């Protein structure tokens, strides 16, 4: 990635597009390398249809030929739209020889992705009292301790699962209102954001307490997404409902954001830190723009401008930055998944 201070435009010839037959929301890059297809990477995409019957497709991306195609037999039905998809973050540490995909919606589900079939592994219900459970808004798979997945729910809880055994490790009432997102920092430390407008950090060694590191300036303005910088765990990013701002937080100085990125022309929907750099973050929103920002060591008086931008021409609902292929960012808008080379 070029570190120029000049704003540059990501050119469309550096992109690959997949057209789905339905609107797309959830997306995930796999880090798994198949011995049969070592050049190709898998990408999972989930439909967003406001009814029970939804789909997840597994695509094959060939970086040399710049082709992106659905893999026959690796499409499967999913109850309700998946709110998030994520492949096993550390396949070499997995107990399985195949790739594992997790999805959230009504329940947390794990799927084994074989060469030519998908096998359901677990359906995990976080309600202790009923077979029905409150919808899951998001989840995060712990890279350092990959047996752990944390889920967030509209019932104000976060649930930590041991997905190797298929059992709940712990469940916490995390917020006063719906929890919209969760992110791991360390093996036993996670953070969450909520409709109550707060970012809270939890340590599994002391479950009774949490640390509030940010609250919305306007009371009860929901925080929708949370991204924890894996390259520098001091930094997090969050977005507010119906706001064009990305708020950058330093957990050492709670309450006061270290930066607010305000160049989107409409609400921001998604954020993703660069997997290889602690100072770059991508954002996307209803203005159809995907912006890449380089965070300065010291913010100037006039705010921060993005270093590069891409116009999708439609509201962008989701972004993912590939940890395995770090030059590629995926954006979802309408019924399209587009890969951008950065």
């Amino acid at each position: 990635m070029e570190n120029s201070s000049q704003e540059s435009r990501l050119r469309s010839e550096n992109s690959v597009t997949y057209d789905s037959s339905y609107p797309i929301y959830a997306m995930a890059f796999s880090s798994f390398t198949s011995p049969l297809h070592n050049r190709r990477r898998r990408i999972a995409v989930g439909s967003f249809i406001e009814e029970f019957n939804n789909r997840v497709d597994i695509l094959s991306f060939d970086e040399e030929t710049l082709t992106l195609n659905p893999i026959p037999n690796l499409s499967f039905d999913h109850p309700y739209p998946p709110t998030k998809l994520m492949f096993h973050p550390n396949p070499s540490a997995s107990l399985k020889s195949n790739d594992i995909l997790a999805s959230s919606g009504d329940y947390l589900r794990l799927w084994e992705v074989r060469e030519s079939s998908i096998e359901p592994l677990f359906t995990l219900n976080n309600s202790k009292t009923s077979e029905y459970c409150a919808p899951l808004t998001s989840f995060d798979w712990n890279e350092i301790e990959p047996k752990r997945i944390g889920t967030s729910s509209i019932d104000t809880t976060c649930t930590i699962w041991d997905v190797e055994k298929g059992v709940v490790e712990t469940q916490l009432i995390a917020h006063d209102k719906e929890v919209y997102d969760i992110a791991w920092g360390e093996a036993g430390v996670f953070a969450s954001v909520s409709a109550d407008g707060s970012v809270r950090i939890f340590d599994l060694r002391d479950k009774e307490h949490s640390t509030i590191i940010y609250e919305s300036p306007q009371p009860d303005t929901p925080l929708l997404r949370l991204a924890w910088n894996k390259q520098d765990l001091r930094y997090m990013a969050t977005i507010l409902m119906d706001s064009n701002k990305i708020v950058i937080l330093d957990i050492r100085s709670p309450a006061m954001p270290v930066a607010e990125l305000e160049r989107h022309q409409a609400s921001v929907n998604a954020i993703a830190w660069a997997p290889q750099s602690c100072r770059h973050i991508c954002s996307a929103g209803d203005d159809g723009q995907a912006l890449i920002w380089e965070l300065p060591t010291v913010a100037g008086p006039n705010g921060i401008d993005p270093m590069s931008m891409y116009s999708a021409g439609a509201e962008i609902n989701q972004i993912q930055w590939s940890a395995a292929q770090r030059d590629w960012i995926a954006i979802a808008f309408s019924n399209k998944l587009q890969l951008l080379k950065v």
Side-chain angles (χ1 to χ4, degrees):
M1 188 186 297
E2 295 169 18
N3 293 331
S4 67
S5 57
Q6 296 297 308
E7 185 183 286
S8 67
R9 290 187 177 272
L10 296 172
R11 292 187 300 279
S12 56
E13 62 261 29
N14 288 341
S15 69
V16 188
T17 306
Y18 168 71
D19 282 287
S20 173
S21 49
Y22 28 68
I24 290 173
Y25 177 68
M27 303 183 295
F29 283 99
S30 173
S31 297
F32 185 82
T33 44
S34 157
L36 297 176
H37 309 292
N38 58 358
R39 285 190 321 160
R40 297 180 200 155
R41 293 284 182 175
R42 289 173 174 158
I43 301 170
V45 293
S47 66
F48 190 87
I49 306 163
E50 292 188 45
E51 56 187 54
F52 180 80
N53 294 318
N54 275 261
R55 296 285 291 171
V56 173
D57 294 326
I58 310 286
L59 313 178
S60 171
F61 173 49
D62 190 320
E63 200 172 0
E64 286 183 24
T65 59
L66 295 184
T67 50
L68 189 55
N69 295 305
I71 304 172
N73 307 327
L74 296 191
S75 254
F76 59 97
D77 291 323
H78 193 279
Y80 302 103
T83 51
K84 186 166 182 180
L85 294 168
M86 198 173 172
F87 283 98
H88 194 296
N90 188 358
S92 58
S94 171
L95 297 180
K96 299 277 184 184
S97 56
N98 293 310
D99 210 356
I100 308 294
L101 178 69
S103 66
S104 54
D106 51 350
Y107 304 114
L108 176 67
R109 289 179 162 84
L110 271 77
W111 316 80
E112 184 173 354
V113 184
R114 299 183 178 173
E115 283 300 327
S116 57
S117 67
I118 301 273
E119 301 300 327
L121 292 174
F122 286 119
T123 298
L124 304 173
N125 179 359
N126 72 338
S127 169
K128 295 173 179 163
T129 54
S130 161
E131 63 180 288
Y132 303 104
C133 79
L136 301 177
T137 50
S138 188
F139 70 92
D140 195 24
W141 203 325
N142 195 317
E143 247 173 89
I144 303 155
E145 188 72 83
K147 70 175 186 179
R148 277 184 179 147
I149 287 181
T151 60
S152 56
S153 171
I154 64 168
D155 68 2
T156 76
T157 65
C158 290
T159 306
I160 309 305
W161 288 92
D162 179 331
V163 293
E164 289 177 3
K165 295 178 183 165
V167 297
V168 171
E169 189 177 327
T170 190
Q171 187 173 50
L172 308 166
I173 295 174
H175 289 265
D176 302 328
K177 292 186 176 178
E178 300 97 323
V179 190
Y180 286 139
D181 206 2
I182 181 170
W184 289 102
E186 300 167 42
V189 179
F190 70 89
S192 56
V193 292
S194 162
D196 66 16
S198 67
V199 179
R200 302 187 186 199
I201 296 181
F202 298 83
D203 190 322
L204 294 179
R205 293 166 296 192
D206 180 12
K207 300 187 190 82
E208 300 305 309
H209 301 97
S210 66
T211 307
I212 296 177
I213 61 157
Y214 178 74
E215 292 185 284
S216 307
Q218 285 79 34
D220 284 341
T221 301
L223 301 177
L224 299 183
R225 290 284 164 257
L226 181 68
W228 203 328
N229 188 334
K230 296 288 195 283
Q231 298 299 318
D232 189 336
L233 291 171
R234 295 173 298 182
Y235 295 105
M236 289 181 184
T238 187
I239 55 178
L240 297 84
M241 181 179 275
D242 299 329
S243 166
N244 73 330
K245 274 197 308 201
I246 301 105
V247 178
I248 308 294
L249 305 170
D250 182 335
I251 62 175
R252 297 166 302 177
S253 53
M256 202 55 211
V258 289
E260 293 187 334
L261 311 177
E262 300 183 78
R263 295 296 186 261
H264 277 283
Q265 305 299 311
S267 302
V268 179
N269 294 326
I271 43 177
W273 290 97
Q276 76 281 30
S277 157
C278 62
R279 290 176 56 207
H280 294 94
I281 189 168
C282 184
S283 60
D286 280 351
D287 57 1
Q289 305 276 339
L291 304 179
I292 297 177
W293 312 77
E294 181 177 15
L295 301 180
T297 41
V298 180
N302 302 321
I304 300 165
D305 287 322
M307 58 179 282
S308 59
M309 62 184 292
Y310 177 78
S311 294
E315 296 174 1
I316 302 174
N317 301 314
Q318 184 63 276
I319 48 177
Q320 295 290 327
W321 200 324
S322 171
Q325 294 163 301
R326 295 169 175 183
D327 296 340
W328 293 94
I329 292 174
I331 60 173
F333 56 97
S334 180
N335 65 332
K336 292 177 167 52
L337 174 145
Q338 202 160 55
L339 295 180
L340 309 174
K341 190 161 192 182
V342 295

